[in-house]
Amino acid sequence: MSCEIAACDETLLSDEKLLSDSGRRLVLAVSQQKTIHGTISESVLLPMKQNISHPNEVFSLEWRVIQNKTVRSILIFSPRSPIPYVSESFKNRVNFSHSKSELLLKNIQLSDEGIYELEVTTSDGKSTKYAVMLTVNVAVSIPRIEVFPEVPQMGDNVTLQCSVLEGNLVQYSWYRCEQSLYDGKNYRLSHNNRSLTLLNIQESEVGTYRCQARNHISVKHRDFVLQICTSTSVIARYVYIGYGGYPGYIGYILILVLCYQWIKELQKRPKDNDAIYENSKPVKQKLSVTRSAETKMCNMRMSNRWGR
């Protein structure tokens, strides 16, 4: 079996039915079903590993799809007509190989999932059926992991929940130290393996846990480092806060005293250095006193000159 475009399962299911119509017509229907996993928006080849011993005896070939018990015809081909008939809903979406009876389905979507069946009818009225199960897959994105409770402590039951934003038909699995995790004494897995619960967690459970998300066409994983808060660290934290933390209440009091003394020094300095600030009121008073004294000295000198 050739699977060049999509992934294939090797599982092969077959059954044979012998039908009789009053001895007038004998139809041998052999159903062989494989599973092919396609990728959304890409093409998928629906191959048939079958040999027609006498191609000249083939009367017609028909491809059809079965979805929810509804059968729709895709393509009908007869060697007597070189151009196959293609139904309207599949035009420009399929290529047909006359020699191998293979069907290439283009730009597949989720709505294309179903059972694709090829029926080969020979000129003597016998028909053989081949079936392919097609799944359409969306590649998974890198998973994300959430932890509950957010701050786990010793003895808690801790749940790691894994999810992906993109992907369908996703299967989840959990690992630690490259070893798969299963239900047991210390672990509980949800029905779909999305959640891993660690029971009565201890320090030995601290470490790296890996969630792997995969489907038929892709696989991604994310690691999560689990840490726990011990009771001693919690008590120490409250004691630390209760005594004020660094530098402590005494240190804060000393800082306040030093700040108060520094402010008092700043308040004293302007009184001794009023003359430095030209726009201050004391400077203006000093300048006015100086000018009046200079005026008196000038008047005394003038009077002395006139007296002479």
Side-chain angles (χ1 to χ4, degrees), residues 177-295:
C177 300
E178 305 298 330
Q179 300 294 323
S180 299
L181 299 180
Y182 303 97
D183 281 344
K185 180 180 179 181
N186 299 324
Y187 305 109
R188 287 290 184 272
L189 291 169
S190 60
H191 69 282
N192 56 4
N193 283 3
R194 282 189 57 186
S195 298
L196 171 68
T197 300
L198 288 75
L199 305 176
N200 189 24
I201 189 170
Q202 302 298 319
E203 288 187 2
S204 59
E205 306 299 327
V206 172
T208 301
Y209 291 80
R210 171 173 295 184
C211 171
Q212 184 182 87
R214 68 184 307 149
N215 58 12
H216 296 294
I217 63 170
S218 61
V219 56
K220 296 288 177 61
H221 73 269
R222 182 179 289 277
D223 292 336
F224 180 83
V225 179
L226 179 64
Q227 297 179 342
I228 59 176
C229 294
T230 60
S231 57
T232 54
S233 63
V234 175
I235 295 174
R237 184 187 306 171
Y238 284 108
V239 171
Y240 180 81
I241 296 174
Y243 283 98
Y246 181 84
Y249 287 145
I250 297 176
Y252 285 122
I253 293 173
L254 291 175
I255 292 174
L256 291 175
V257 171
L258 292 175
C259 290
Y260 177 78
Q261 292 178 351
W262 180 66
I263 293 173
K264 294 293 290 182
E265 290 293 332
L266 291 179
Q267 291 176 347
K268 292 178 179 180
R269 288 178 184 177
K271 294 181 179 180
D272 298 335
N273 301 320
D274 284 342
I276 297 175
Y277 304 97
E278 295 181 358
N279 294 328
S280 61
K281 185 175 180 181
V283 171
K284 290 182 179 180
Q285 293 177 353
K286 187 174 181 179
L287 291 175
S288 60
V289 171
T290 304
R291 289 175 182 174
S292 60
E294 291 178 351
T295 303

Side-chain angles (χ1 to χ4, degrees), residues 51-234:
N51 295 318
I52 301 175
S53 56
H54 301 286
N56 295 331
E57 296 180 0
V58 175
F59 179 75
S60 66
L61 301 172
E62 181 179 6
W63 272 100
R64 59 177 72 100
V65 59
I66 305 172
Q67 296 172 319
N68 299 324
K69 298 181 179 180
T70 301
V71 181
R72 290 188 298 154
S73 178
I74 301 174
L75 177 145
I76 299 176
F77 171 75
S78 174
R80 300 178 182 179
S81 175
I83 301 176
Y85 165 78
V86 181
S87 63
E88 191 67 29
S89 58
F90 285 92
K91 282 186 176 180
N92 301 321
R93 290 193 59 207
V94 295
N95 286 344
F96 177 68
S97 171
H98 297 178
S99 59
K100 297 182 180 180
S101 304
E102 294 175 339
L103 189 71
L104 179 68
L105 186 59
K106 305 174 184 177
N107 190 27
I108 61 174
Q109 302 298 318
L110 294 176
S111 58
D112 290 322
E113 285 190 335
I115 298 175
Y116 287 77
E117 185 180 73
L118 171 64
E119 182 176 6
V120 180
T121 304
T122 58
S123 56
D124 59 359
K126 296 181 180 180
S127 66
T128 306
K129 294 180 180 180
Y130 303 88
V132 173
M133 170 70 74
L134 173 65
T135 66
V136 180
N137 298 265
V138 179
V140 297
S141 58
I142 297 177
R144 59 181 181 180
I145 299 176
E146 297 178 281
V147 58
F148 303 98
E150 294 183 358
V151 184
Q153 298 182 16
M154 191 83 70
D156 285 349
N157 291 340
V158 179
T159 298
L160 304 179
Q161 185 169 318
C162 188
S163 61
V164 294
L165 296 178
E166 298 178 356
N168 65 335
L169 306 176
V170 182
Q171 297 178 348
Y172 296 92
S173 53
W174 290 90
Y175 300 87
R176 186 186 180 197
C177 300
E178 305 298 330
Q179 300 294 323
S180 299
L181 299 180
Y182 303 97
D183 281 344
K185 180 180 179 181
N186 299 324
Y187 305 109
R188 287 290 184 272
L189 291 169
S190 60
H191 69 282
N192 56 4
N193 283 3
R194 282 189 57 186
S195 298
L196 171 68
T197 300
L198 288 75
L199 305 176
N200 189 24
I201 189 170
Q202 302 298 319
E203 288 187 2
S204 59
E205 306 299 327
V206 172
T208 301
Y209 291 80
R210 171 173 295 184
C211 171
Q212 184 182 87
R214 68 184 307 149
N215 58 12
H216 296 294
I217 63 170
S218 61
V219 56
K220 296 288 177 61
H221 73 269
R222 182 179 289 277
D223 292 336
F224 180 83
V225 179
L226 179 64
Q227 297 179 342
I228 59 176
C229 294
T230 60
S231 57
T232 54
S233 63
V234 175

Side-chain angles (χ1 to χ4, degrees), residues 289-306:
V289 171
T290 304
R291 289 175 182 174
S292 60
E294 291 178 351
T295 303
K296 289 181 179 181
M297 291 294 294
C298 183
N299 291 334
M300 290 176 64
R301 289 175 181 176
M302 290 296 294
S303 61
N304 289 334
R305 289 180 181 181
W306 286 107

Side-chain angles (χ1 to χ4, degrees), residues 21-38:
D21 183 10
S22 302
R24 292 177 295 178
R25 186 183 180 188
L26 184 65
V27 177
L28 179 62
V30 180
S31 178
Q32 295 178 324
Q33 182 171 318
K34 309 174 185 68
T35 301
I36 296 181
H37 306 293

